[in-house]
Amino acid sequence: EPILQVKDLKKYFNTPKGLLHAVDGVTFNIDKGETLGVVGESGCGKSTLGRVILHLLESTDGQIIYEGEDITKINKDKFRELRNEMQIIFQDPFSSLNPRMTVSEIIREPIIIHKTIKDKKEIEKKVSSLMDTVGLAERLANTYPHELDGGRRQRIGIARALALNPSFIVCDEPVSALDVSIQAQVLNLMQDLQKELNLTYMFITHDLSVVKHISNDILVMYLGQLVEKSDAKDLFKNP
Ligand code: ADP
Ligand code: ADP
């Protein structure tokens, strides 16, 4: 059963050199509980595709259907509602966050903004439980992300993405900035969370060894288009 259906989706950017077809007619489904890998070289449109699906960018054309509902065009209220369903984990979650925010403040912020929990004690309970879920020690609550290593920083990004209890997460190069030794730990955490919380992942990466580890099905993008859809086993089988 698909959680997400994307039909002939397009995103064009106006640039000084003319119209850039960053996403150029992409069609695919993602089933509930699946991890769909999206691979392709830098600049092929992976990140734009993920952002258009999440409404962080407006689409140019095509359709996005989530849980059977057409969400291609939505208003502000619907957008807020969707944030409880669809989230993103960034490669560097802290480029857009205030560096003066502590770990607990960062994880708490979406709950405050979206008012999903009102009682102060309940909010603190939720923040502690999120930290526990992603394997961050309680004593780190009042530290700042720049004091922590990359693996712990990404655990904060994951906890923040989970704060509103989403079902669908776009993972945009979540381990690409990490040391190889840490990558496996974070990937294992993400796989455990997927099972535990019944999450669906759209997993964007330029790194085939990462996608091989985590995905069932794989889309290969090239210049804004899907050039191949395949099973991870087929893509990596020896000729
Ligand atoms: P990927 O994630 O695969 O590296 P992106 O989705 O980031 O690719 O980019 C796809 C193409 O769209 C690239 O050519 C990129 O330069 C261009 N692009 C991305 N964002 C913008 C933007 N805001 N304005 C203009 N061009 C953009
Ligand atoms: P930019 O597009 O300038 O690189 P970001 O990609 O960091 O900025 O953030 C884009 C938008 O996503 C911002 O408005 C930010 O508030 C929002 N955002 C940040 N974290 C999350 C998250 N975990 N889930 C969904 N949206 C988020």
Side-chain angles (χ1 to χ4, degrees):
E1 191 186 351
I3 190 168
L4 182 81
Q5 297 165 272
V6 171
K7 297 184 183 169
D8 204 18
L9 193 64
K10 296 178 183 165
K11 174 62 183 177
Y12 298 167
F13 290 111
N14 273 308
T15 74
K17 288 186 193 157
L19 214 52
L20 182 101
H21 297 202
V23 174
D24 200 11
V26 165
T27 299
F28 63 92
N29 291 345
I30 305 184
D31 283 338
K32 244 173 231 178
E34 184 194 3
T35 296
L36 180 74
V38 179
V39 303
E41 63 191 52
S42 178
C44 70
K46 305 182 294 297
S47 188
T48 302
L49 175 63
R51 279 159 199 245
V52 169
I53 290 169
L54 290 192
H55 289 271
L56 299 175
L57 287 171
E58 206 183 325
S59 59
T60 305
D61 199 9
Q63 257 187 317
I64 307 165
I65 294 161
Y66 184 78
E67 296 272 32
E69 183 185 358
D70 191 325
I71 59 157
T72 315
K73 299 277 180 253
I74 53 170
N75 61 22
K76 269 216 164 106
D77 288 344
K78 185 69 196 175
F79 176 82
R80 289 177 69 90
E81 209 182 290
L82 267 187
R83 272 296 160 269
N84 300 319
E85 281 294 320
M86 311 174 98
Q87 280 286 331
I88 186 163
I89 297 171
F90 296 103
Q91 175 171 356
D92 177 9
F94 303 104
S95 58
S96 59
L97 291 174
N98 183 340
R100 289 185 198 85
M101 278 167 72
T102 64
V103 171
S104 62
E105 284 166 348
I106 290 167
I107 297 171
R108 189 187 298 120
E109 192 180 54
I111 301 169
I112 304 286
I113 293 175
H114 288 265
K115 303 187 179 73
T116 48
I117 307 174
K118 288 174 187 101
D119 182 72
K120 278 213 168 118
K121 272 196 190 137
E122 290 301 318
I123 294 175
E124 292 328 297
K125 259 198 223 161
K126 177 71 177 176
V127 172
S128 304
S129 114
L130 285 163
M131 288 186 63
D132 186 51
T133 299
V134 300
L136 284 171
E138 193 78 45
R139 67 183 160 79
L140 299 176
N142 297 318
T143 58
Y144 294 88
H146 63 82
E147 299 177 280
L148 304 176
D149 61 44
R152 290 201 177 82
R153 280 214 298 276
Q154 192 51 287
R155 286 171 196 266
I156 306 168
I158 295 170
R160 182 179 159 99
L162 295 177
L164 303 177
N165 306 319
S167 305
F168 175 81
I169 302 185
V170 171
C171 312
D172 191 353
E173 305 270 9
V175 299
S176 303
L178 304 177
D179 292 343
V180 174
S181 59
I182 311 269
Q183 285 188 357
Q185 292 173 17
V186 173
L187 287 174
N188 287 337
L189 169 67
M190 292 180 71
Q191 285 182 309
D192 291 347
L193 292 173
Q194 177 171 42
K195 280 193 218 107
E196 204 176 306
L197 305 172
N198 195 22
L199 302 172
T200 305
Y201 290 147
M202 175 171 155
F203 198 101
I204 295 170
T205 180
H206 68 281
D207 188 339
L208 286 176
S209 62
V210 165
V211 87
K212 190 177 172 180
H213 189 80
I214 199 153
S215 302
N216 316 118
D217 288 321
I218 293 172
L219 303 179
V220 183
M221 280 186 86
Y222 182 72
L223 295 178
Q225 301 188 335
L226 293 186
V227 291
E228 182 159 350
K229 270 184 219 186
S230 88
D231 195 85
K233 288 193 259 356
D234 295 335
L235 198 62
F236 296 107
K237 80 173 170 228
N238 293 320

